[in-house]
Amino acid sequence: MYAIAIHGGAGGLPAQGLSAARQQRYRDGLAAALEQGYQHLAHGASSLEAVTAAVRALEDDPLFNAGHGAALTRDGGAELDAAVMDGSTLRAGAVAAVRHVKHPIELARRVMEKSRHVLLVGSGAEEFALEEGVELVPNTYFRTAERQAELEQLRDGGTVSELIPSPQGTVGAVARDAAGNLAAATSTGGMANKRPGRVGDSPIIGAGTYAKNGVCAVSATGHGEYFMRLVAGHHVCALVEYRGVSLAEAVRETLHERLRALGGDGGIIAVDTDGRISLDFTTQGMFRAARDSTGMHQIAI
Amino acid sequence: MYAIAIHGGAGGLPAQGLSAARQQRYRDGLAAALEQGYQHLAHGASSLEAVTAAVRALEDDPLFNAGHGAALTRDGGAELDAAVMDGSTLRAGAVAAVRHVKHPIELARRVMEKSRHVLLVGSGAEEFALEEGVELVPNTYFRTAERQAELEQLRDGGTVSELIPSPQGTVGAVARDAAGNLAAATSTGGMANKRPGRVGDSPIIGAGTYAKNGVCAVSATGHGEYFMRLVAGHHVCALVEYRGVSLAEAVRETLHERLRALGGDGGIIAVDTDGRISLDFTTQGMFRAARDSTGMHQIAI
């Protein structure tokens, strides 16, 4: 039995809704990324490979807030964060505030596998990317016309219409492979109009990303500061492991009770040791998709 | 009832032991920082004030690996990390990879109180410091002759003798005030000879620093990567809150079972909602001190 779930951000939908054409583009992007990850699982690859591949596909899609098409800082640049965790070994790698790494999730993976460290930030992380031969690109690669328009509208205090529905997007994936190993990966450009140097929950092990074999794997999206204060990813797993509740209940309580009590909003995708998937959110919508080897297959906004 | 505990790092002691004079200097530094924090509690100030003051005092003392006297990166510079958390509100602030902030713990406090964010890194964090009027100093301020000698010895593969016993030092404080509020603070220069851009557990909420009223407050020291993978600070609190074990048992299990199983070493100081203090470590020694309003008062290496 194997299973994968992905998300492409959670947030409020535009007042007039998303056009049908726009919705279809999101669905297509989610479907393609899900397929990338699922095929790895179907061919016997590890959950670690599956979540990395799915997140990498979302990084390449300009619709989602990660990699190409990332949300921009208040200075108009892109600063990217990503993390990956292997639940079978509790090994983890993460990068934050990188400005030239084409696939931040790949660099996070290298940090996990090739360095003695868990988290590298800024120019030190890019020095490591150069040493490892990880592809660097000019910062302009990440900046799409849509994101520049979004930033302009946020600066003017306006609302964003047909653009990405929320300035709090993120992409992520969780998976259980046939061997029972769990993994999680998350990547983001962070909050639109953010202060340079701001790091959210995505690259923080235990907050936006967490995986532990026998318990669960979690990737979060939403207002990162609240997920950091809750240590949301580890909190979900701790409820499952130490209070013995179901994954669905652990995710529900973390989001709808704990996160809401702090005033935060967002979504969580998670998978437990049996491959059961939870996709939950406190926002109006969450771009999400999931598939498992029993035939479950869904894509939703 | 009120209580405070502090640490000044955990690690292996030099083979020939610390000289009596050197031991006395450490004890004096710990005593002075403990007194700073304790006097705040005795005068009715919050645990947040107490842990900030204690950590600030340790940052100023060149013996300890934080602020002035921080361990140096492989490039010979200082890069500093710090975090603070207020258990009464679950608000938190942290900075990482800053190079010019005289008191990183003060900047972490400003991030918590004056920004919308939890974690700022690198030059973005220093931009915020300038906006807030937080004192900046040249990087040379942090670099002591002892730390430069330590770095030379590590580069040469030698062991460090009369110098700071471990390249994995950190300073931190946890406290419970008379109102029952818990707080934690941690500050560090990170691992000696570290790669620039490497961030350890100290500024990661849930890993090296965590506080939650009614449960516990935690500050960790040791091999940061292992504490990050365990989400050690939140793990201690989750065992107390969700499995109902004592703080001492939660700290013991986290350090001696979970951390050791990964191959990591270090120490944890923690205080629970009743003001009970735990000071535990897997290393040969931990610079530590604690005091409470019932008359308990200890300083140990």
Side-chain angles (χ1 to χ4, degrees):
Chain A
M1 193 280 174
Y2 45 90
I4 184 169
I6 66 173
H7 68 79
L13 295 170
Q16 69 275 40
L18 282 173
S19 67
R22 187 88 185 173
Q23 284 195 34
Q24 193 56 49
R25 288 179 59 199
Y26 279 111
R27 287 177 187 277
D28 292 347
L30 289 167
L34 186 70
E35 182 70 7
Q36 285 278 326
Y38 189 79
Q39 286 307 319
H40 273 88
L41 295 178
H43 289 88
S46 68
S47 52
L48 185 63
E49 293 297 341
V51 297
T52 307
V55 167
R56 190 186 155 105
L58 292 165
E59 286 178 341
D60 283 337
D61 188 330
L63 287 178
F64 300 100
N65 178 11
H68 181 51
L72 303 178
T73 71
R74 68 180 187 189
D75 292 353
E79 283 193 4
L80 309 161
D81 306 330
V84 62
M85 187 160 187
D86 176 355
S88 68
T89 58
L90 296 182
R91 291 176 72 196
V95 295
V98 296
R99 296 174 56 84
H100 305 98
V101 178
K102 187 175 184 183
H103 294 108
I105 198 66
E106 294 286 346
L107 186 59
R109 184 87 183 268
R110 297 292 181 104
V111 170
M112 179 173 92
E113 294 180 343
K114 300 290 180 69
S115 84
R116 299 174 301 151
H117 302 309
V118 170
L119 174 59
L120 296 179
V121 305
S123 58
E126 298 194 345
E127 185 73 30
F128 179 68
L130 286 164
E131 291 171 20
E132 286 291 316
V134 171
E135 186 174 3
L136 297 191
V137 292
N139 195 260
T140 49
Y141 164 79
F142 302 106
R143 304 183 219 156
T144 61
E146 284 199 357
R147 290 298 183 186
Q148 281 165 339
E150 176 190 57
L151 182 62
E152 290 302 320
Q153 290 191 268
L154 284 168
R155 281 173 174 162
D156 296 346
T159 54
V160 177
S161 58
E162 265 292 277
L163 306 176
I164 310 297
S166 164
Q168 299 171 5
T170 302
V171 311
V174 295
R176 178 205 195 269
D177 61 32
N181 292 314
L182 303 179
T186 312
S187 184
T188 189
M191 295 171 71
N193 203 27
K194 72 180 177 184
R195 170 186 285 278
R198 176 265 187 184
V199 176
D201 64 316
S202 302
I204 304 300
I205 301 305
T209 305
Y210 191 70
K212 184 176 184 177
N213 266 22
V215 188
C216 64
V218 178
S219 175
T221 177
H223 199 142
E225 277 73 9
Y226 296 96
F227 286 86
M228 295 167 87
R229 291 163 57 193
L230 270 187
V231 197
H234 189 265
H235 189 263
V236 167
C237 291
L239 289 179
V240 170
E241 185 170 10
Y242 300 127
R243 221 176 55 192
V245 305
S246 70
L247 181 68
E249 169 56 19
V251 170
R252 188 203 63 74
E253 178 177 328
T254 301
L255 284 175
H256 297 277
E257 294 181 24
R258 307 302 180 101
L259 190 76
R260 289 298 303 139
L262 293 182
D265 276 304
I268 281 176
I269 61 170
V271 62
D272 72 10
T273 190
D274 298 319
R276 276 185 294 258
I277 283 170
S278 286
L279 310 164
D280 201 352
F281 46 97
T282 66
T283 45
Q284 281 184 282
M286 177 166 75
F287 298 113
R288 61 199 188 276
R291 188 174 178 188
D292 71 24
S293 56
T294 70
M296 184 273 291
H297 194 167
Q298 62 162 298
I299 296 174
I301 294 179
Chain B
M1 193 278 173
Y2 46 90
I4 184 168
I6 66 173
H7 68 79
L13 296 171
Q16 69 276 42
L18 283 173
S19 67
R22 187 86 186 176
Q23 284 194 34
Q24 192 57 48
R25 287 179 59 200
Y26 280 111
R27 287 177 187 277
D28 291 348
L30 290 166
L34 185 71
E35 182 70 8
Q36 285 278 326
Y38 189 79
Q39 286 307 320
H40 274 90
L41 296 177
H43 289 87
S46 68
S47 53
L48 185 63
E49 293 297 340
V51 296
T52 307
V55 166
R56 190 187 156 104
L58 292 164
E59 286 178 341
D60 283 338
D61 189 329
L63 286 178
F64 299 100
N65 177 10
H68 181 51
L72 303 178
T73 70
R74 67 180 187 189
D75 293 353
E79 283 194 4
L80 309 161
D81 307 330
V84 63
M85 187 160 188
D86 177 354
S88 68
T89 57
L90 295 182
R91 291 176 72 197
V95 296
V98 296
R99 296 174 56 85
H100 306 98
V101 179
K102 188 174 185 184
H103 294 108
I105 198 65
E106 293 286 344
L107 186 58
R109 183 88 183 265
R110 297 292 181 104
V111 170
M112 178 173 92
E113 294 180 343
K114 299 290 180 68
S115 84
R116 299 174 299 147
H117 302 309
V118 169
L119 174 59
L120 296 178
V121 305
S123 58
E126 297 193 347
E127 185 74 30
F128 179 69
L130 285 164
E131 289 172 22
E132 286 291 316
V134 171
E135 187 175 1
L136 298 191
V137 292
N139 194 262
T140 48
Y141 164 79
F142 302 107
R143 305 183 219 158
T144 61
E146 285 199 359
R147 290 297 183 186
Q148 282 165 337
E150 177 190 57
L151 183 62
E152 289 303 318
Q153 291 191 264
L154 284 168
R155 282 174 173 161
D156 296 344
T159 54
V160 178
S161 58
E162 264 294 275
L163 306 175
I164 309 299
S166 164
Q168 300 170 5
T170 304
V171 311
V174 295
R176 177 204 196 268
D177 61 30
N181 293 315
L182 302 179
T186 312
S187 184
T188 189
M191 296 172 69
N193 203 27
K194 72 180 177 184
R195 170 185 286 279
R198 176 265 185 181
V199 176
D201 64 315
S202 302
I204 305 300
I205 301 304
T209 307
Y210 190 70
K212 183 175 184 179
N213 267 23
V215 187
C216 63
V218 178
S219 175
T221 177
H223 199 142
E225 278 72 9
Y226 296 95
F227 286 86
M228 295 168 86
R229 292 164 57 193
L230 271 188
V231 198
H234 189 265
H235 188 263
V236 167
C237 291
L239 288 179
V240 170
E241 186 170 9
Y242 300 127
R243 220 174 58 191
V245 305
S246 70
L247 180 67
E249 169 56 20
V251 169
R252 188 202 63 74
E253 178 177 327
T254 301
L255 283 174
H256 297 277
E257 294 181 24
R258 307 303 179 101
L259 190 76
R260 289 298 302 138
L262 293 182
D265 276 303
I268 282 176
I269 61 169
V271 62
D272 72 10
T273 188
D274 298 318
R276 277 184 294 257
I277 284 170
S278 286
L279 311 163
D280 201 353
F281 47 97
T282 67
T283 46
Q284 281 185 284
M286 177 166 75
F287 299 113
R288 59 200 189 276
R291 186 173 179 189
D292 73 23
S293 56
T294 71
M296 184 273 290
H297 193 166
Q298 61 161 296
I299 297 175
I301 294 179

